[in-house]
Structure formats: C-alpha cells, structure tokens
Amino acid sequence: MSLEELIAQADARGLATSGLACSDRCMSLLVEDDELLRPLWAHLVDGSDWSESLAKVRAALGAVEPGSDSEAAGVAREMLLSAPAERDGVALREWAEACSSASLRVHRLLDPAPGSAEDALPLVAAELGRQTVVLQLLAEHGPQGLRRALDVSGEGRRVLRAVVSRRARAQA
C-alpha cells in the first residue's frame, strides 16, 4: 500500500502519530532535546488531550534561533507550529499530509547525494520508508504500535542529526 493510501485510511491516532513522527525526526534541526516531544507521544498513548503540551512545545520552538540549515529548520519548525490542537477531523488529516511532504522536503534539502531524481536520493528514500512503516505499525497493531513507531522516529532523528553534523564538519 502506498504512503498516500495509508494516510487516507488512517484513523485520528494514526494521523496524529504520522504527523508527530515526521516532526520528531526533523526536530534535531531545531533543538538537541530529544525529550521535547515526549509529552505529545504520551498523549497519543493514553488518548488524552495534547493541546497544553503542544502549546509548551510551540513556546519552546519560538525561542529557538534557526541554525545553518535555516530553510530546512524553518520547514521543520512549521510542522509543529501548524499542528492542530484538536486531534480529529479534516485539520488532522491535512496536518499529517503536510508533515509528510514537509519531512520529505527537509530530507531532500539535506540529502548529500548528488543528482536531482528525488527517488534516487537515499535520505529521502529512507524517510519515505520510515513514514510508511509508522503508518503500517499503527494500522496493524493499533495503539500497541506506538512504541515501535517512536523507535522508528528516533532512528530517523539520529540519522538526520548525523547528516547535519557531517555537513557542519564539511563546511568548517
């Protein structure tokens, strides 16, 4: 099943997880705090309202200055700033779709591979795979798939952090 089909079939928890996971993987462009989004993940696990925690994340992001990869960081910031406070309805689906596209854009901007064919860029291809896996985990395992989705997101965050670190060393 394609990523677009998985997003189209996802329930509210799947959509919220998809958007949050995309945002989570790109957070290393903004902050080094891997725990910043942890409360939002916890709200997905217990199904509780995340609006207060989301407001705290937005406030924390508002205080962060963009780094050297400012275009990619700006895209990453917008993913969380545009998250809907209510986790249901059309807004959530639009946010999940926007985060999917934005995350792929971030990975395209940072991909060190030469060439312009998007499907040939390894960083982009890996991100596309992670997005698909996250949605499949939720579709197949329901709320029990959240832990594994968080693990997939953490792996992607570490990869992106390594890419940014290599870029910084190469530019120094």
Side-chain angles (χ1 to χ4, degrees):
M1 201 179 301
S2 74
L3 178 60
E4 292 82 12
E5 291 170 322
L6 287 166
I7 290 173
Q9 294 180 5
D11 63 6
R13 182 174 291 180
L15 293 169
T17 301
S18 177
L20 182 58
C22 288
S23 300
D24 192 7
R25 286 189 294 278
C26 296
M27 283 300 296
S28 61
L29 297 173
L30 301 169
V31 296
E32 292 186 24
D33 182 3
D34 288 346
E35 299 298 312
L36 181 64
L37 300 183
R38 190 67 67 161
L40 298 177
W41 283 99
H43 291 294
L44 291 178
V45 170
D46 66 17
S48 62
D49 177 41
W50 75 354
S51 58
E52 256 185 70
S53 294
L54 182 60
K56 289 177 185 175
V57 167
R58 288 177 175 157
L61 291 179
V64 175
E65 292 294 322
S68 61
D69 294 304
S70 60
E71 183 180 356
V75 172
R77 178 192 309 266
E78 186 57 32
M79 281 191 269
L80 279 167
L81 294 179
S82 65
E86 299 296 321
R87 290 193 328 252
D88 58 9
V90 174
L92 189 58
R93 185 167 308 282
E94 289 173 355
W95 179 65
E97 290 170 349
C99 285
S100 173
S101 295
S103 183
L104 290 169
R105 180 172 173 216
V106 165
H107 285 77
R108 187 178 325 109
L109 289 167
L110 298 176
D111 204 308
S116 60
E118 186 172 316
D119 58 352
L121 297 173
L123 198 58
V124 173
E127 172 59 11
L128 186 59
R130 284 186 194 93
Q131 288 186 31
T132 301
V133 166
V134 164
L135 284 163
Q136 287 172 334
L137 285 168
L138 273 287
E140 294 171 12
H141 304 288
Q144 292 76 25
L146 280 167
R147 177 67 199 157
R148 290 172 53 199
L150 180 58
D151 291 343
V152 167
S153 188
E155 171 196 344
R157 189 175 52 249
R158 287 185 294 277
V159 168
L160 199 59
R161 189 174 284 144
V163 167
V164 169
S165 178
R166 275 188 294 250
R167 283 174 60 114
R169 283 194 305 271
Q171 292 174 355

